[in-house]
Amino acid sequence: MDSIINIAKNYNEYREILFDLFVDYYGHEYRDLIYSRTDDVPVDLSSTPVDNYYYLKSHSNNISNAERGLIEKQYNDFESVMNEARNINYDLMFNFLVEVFRIQNRELGRLDKESFLSLFTDKTFSKSLIDGFSKQSLKFLNDDFVSENDKISILKKQEEFNRVLSNLGVNLDSFSNASINKVIEYRKKLKENYRNLIIKNSEYGQNMNSGIKSIIGIDVKPEFLNPIGLARSASAVSITVNRGSELVYYRYVKIPLIYLINRNLKGLDYSIIHELIHIIESYMNYVGISIHDETKTNKIVNEIRTQKLAAKFTKILHERGIFLYDNPKDYKVDGVSTYEFIYPLIGDFLDKYESVFSACAINNDIAKLNMMFGESWPLYSEYINDVFARTVNYYENFNTFPAVNMDVSTSNLIKSMEAHYERGKKYF
């Protein structure tokens, strides 16, 4: 493994080979387009100082004394900023809870603040026992889609919440579904505020802002930087800037590589290639066959086909003995992506019409898909969005994925699209 400072070495070494694969796939007539869309797009492989520190703990023999000292200093500075941001938001949360639940002054004096707060938030303002009473959890309890074991886990959260609350001796005078949902929504705002403060006040965040400012010419607000700087997955980001009356789109690829290595992710190469495909297929607010709009048109279909294509490219590289960051003795290409859980509903359809989808994606031609597959296409695409959202929501609550299988209505939509395509094929 390269040192943390030189982590980009492998990508830079094999970049041209990878881009030749892209050109061969899309067609040499798209060579200039592929390179123009990727010119000057940064591929940022950095991770947070915390991630680097955890890597240091596991790989200290591979890191020089000078680099070790730098990592430890950056970690201590970053931890200090995180603690300060956390304390600010803890105070905001506590005051909000006192107000929402109308906690009496006589109870506040003997209240264990830390234990009380732990009922409503974790250290990153992401989850807590109160989620057992959330609108989503109550819905899960009455959903046949949810297993009995998962329903039991929700009930256990509720029981544990009540037990700790009873031990604290606190009466929540306004404990209702409405007040619970208010707290959960407020926690989401605090999570954003917490992350913004980290980016704004840390040297790591300031350096990121300086790097992006050198590209686009202006400071980027923390709320736009924190999804990049504190990313826990690979992403291709579009930064939009007003230039007079014109919107200008800047692309940025973020791969928190050390974080992914720390997680022992066996699929590093396809993660990078997946995001590079997004860059190649991006134009203005289009990403392949999807568009950033209120309905997220074709978003998940596009992600799934991008994942399948990334797996294809990754396998070709590995067959040639080229590994960017995967361990040649211990890696995966299949079975490591969230999107793969939706394959039963769409995988065969995408494979059958791969050339159609890829041509439309590189040209950002959504209208042609509607024309080729008819009125069932937008219905199908929207359905895939909904199933994926439900699947991810399930995973976030239970840390497991539900079974997703083809049903009659989905099968009928596919048959309708295929029939429409066959009828109009001679005109396309």
Side-chain angles (χ1 to χ4, degrees):
M1 174 56 64
D2 300 315
S3 75
I4 291 175
I5 290 176
N6 295 319
I7 201 70
K9 176 177 175 290
N10 282 16
Y11 171 73
N12 292 332
E13 180 177 349
Y14 295 117
R15 182 179 184 276
E16 288 302 316
I17 294 174
L18 183 54
F19 274 70
D20 283 344
L21 283 182
F22 295 149
V23 171
D24 288 342
Y25 177 78
Y26 290 103
H28 285 259
E29 66 270 28
Y30 291 109
R31 182 180 183 85
D32 290 344
L33 177 65
I34 290 170
Y35 276 86
S36 67
R37 286 184 173 181
T38 54
D39 280 348
D40 302 323
V41 175
V43 177
D44 181 355
L45 300 175
S46 68
S47 296
T48 70
V50 172
D51 299 322
N52 292 342
Y53 182 75
Y54 288 153
Y55 180 85
L56 166 64
K57 289 296 185 182
S58 302
H59 302 82
S60 58
N61 292 337
N62 298 340
I63 297 175
S64 68
N65 289 333
E67 191 174 4
R68 183 180 297 111
L70 177 61
I71 290 170
E72 290 175 344
K73 178 182 181 301
Q74 290 173 339
Y75 168 75
N76 290 330
D77 291 344
F78 196 75
E79 275 281 293
S80 176
V81 170
M82 284 200 302
N83 288 334
E84 182 179 356
R86 186 177 297 119
N87 289 334
I88 289 171
N89 285 281
Y90 273 164
D91 287 341
L92 291 171
M93 173 63 94
F94 185 76
N95 293 335
F96 185 80
L97 293 171
V98 170
E99 179 182 349
V100 168
F101 293 123
R102 302 172 191 166
I103 301 173
Q104 301 299 312
N105 288 334
R106 65 178 180 273
E107 296 177 301
L108 291 177
R110 56 184 171 78
L111 183 60
D112 182 337
K113 184 176 178 180
E114 184 176 347
S115 296
F116 182 63
L117 278 171
S118 71
L119 293 171
F120 301 94
T121 185
D122 60 4
K123 289 185 176 182
T124 62
F125 304 89
S126 301
K127 58 186 178 180
S128 65
L129 290 174
I130 192 66
D131 295 320
F133 298 94
S134 71
K135 181 166 55 178
Q136 183 63 68
S137 289
L138 297 180
K139 182 180 177 182
F140 278 146
L141 288 174
N142 296 295
D143 192 341
D144 293 338
F145 185 66
V146 179
S147 72
E148 287 304 312
N149 285 338
D150 291 331
K151 289 178 181 179
I152 289 171
S153 73
I154 293 174
L155 295 174
K156 285 183 176 179
K157 278 186 182 178
Q158 295 180 357
E159 291 172 4
E160 181 65 8
F161 179 93
N162 288 327
R163 185 189 69 79
V164 175
L165 187 65
S166 176
N167 288 342
L168 291 171
V170 182
N171 291 317
L172 303 184
D173 292 338
S174 182
F175 191 77
S176 64
N177 289 341
S179 60
I180 290 167
N181 290 321
K182 277 184 183 178
V183 170
I184 292 173
E185 287 304 309
Y186 186 68
R187 190 182 65 197
K188 290 179 183 177
K189 294 178 182 178
L190 291 185
K191 179 178 181 178
E192 184 75 4
N193 190 48
Y194 169 69
R195 292 166 63 90
N196 290 347
L197 287 172
I198 292 172
I199 289 297
K200 179 181 178 182
N201 296 326
S202 68
E203 182 181 0
Y204 168 76
Q206 291 163 5
N207 289 341
M208 175 167 291
N209 182 37
S210 297
I212 295 178
K213 183 180 179 180
S214 68
I215 299 168
I216 68 177
I218 60 172
D219 286 313
V220 182
K221 294 179 180 179
E223 55 263 38
F224 295 119
L225 283 180
N226 91 50
I228 304 172
L230 304 177
R232 286 295 178 258
S233 61
S235 59
V237 182
S238 178
I239 301 171
T240 308
V241 177
N242 282 301
R243 299 291 188 200
S245 59
E246 182 184 8
L247 279 178
V248 181
Y249 295 85
Y250 293 91
R251 308 295 177 183
Y252 192 92
V253 175
K254 176 66 175 184
I255 314 286
L257 193 58
I258 293 298
Y259 168 77
L260 299 176
I261 291 171
N262 288 341
R263 283 185 57 204
N264 197 31
L265 182 70
K266 296 176 175 62
L268 300 172
D269 290 356
Y270 90 74
S271 295
I272 295 173
I273 294 171
H274 180 114
E275 304 311 327
L276 291 175
I277 293 169
H278 280 325
I279 295 299
I280 288 169
E281 295 181 352
S282 292
Y283 174 70
M284 299 184 71
N285 63 336
Y286 287 88
V287 183
I289 57 168
S290 68
I291 184 171
H292 292 304
D293 59 11
E294 292 181 357
T295 62
K296 297 182 179 179
T297 301
N298 301 340
K299 177 175 173 55
I300 301 306
V301 173
N302 190 65
E303 290 291 353
I304 293 170
R305 59 158 293 277
T306 302
Q307 181 54 37
K308 289 176 71 66
L309 186 53
K312 175 182 287 192
F313 288 138
T314 303
K315 289 174 182 177
I316 293 172
L317 283 183
H318 288 178
E319 287 167 1
R320 295 181 182 181
I322 297 173
F323 291 80
L324 301 175
Y325 297 101
D326 280 332
N327 181 345
K329 297 180 180 179
D330 185 22
Y331 69 90
K332 279 187 174 183
V333 177
D334 299 313
V336 289
S337 164
T338 308
Y339 299 117
E340 292 175 54
F341 288 92
I342 314 297
Y343 280 6
L345 300 181
I346 193 170
D348 291 343
F349 183 70
L350 291 176
D351 289 342
K352 183 173 182 178
Y353 300 101
E354 181 181 1
S355 61
V356 172
F357 282 106
S358 291
C360 288
I362 192 73
N363 291 294
N364 310 114
D365 194 346
I366 292 176
K368 189 171 184 179
L369 285 177
N370 293 332
M371 178 183 70
M372 297 177 90
F373 294 119
E375 60 185 15
S376 292
W377 165 251
L379 297 175
Y380 178 65
S381 176
E382 184 177 351
Y383 173 69
I384 296 298
N385 281 352
D386 291 343
V387 172
F388 182 77
R390 191 179 186 189
T391 302
V392 170
N393 195 15
Y394 194 101
Y395 179 81
E396 289 174 349
N397 279 271
F398 306 115
N399 201 35
T400 185
F401 286 101
V404 176
N405 298 307
M406 180 70 72
D407 55 27
V408 174
S409 60
T410 311
S411 178
N412 287 339
L413 282 173
I414 292 174
K415 289 176 182 177
S416 173
M417 290 188 293
E418 291 181 334
H420 188 277
Y421 179 84
E422 290 300 321
R423 286 194 300 269
K425 189 161 56 176
K426 62 183 178 182
Y427 301 111
F428 302 145

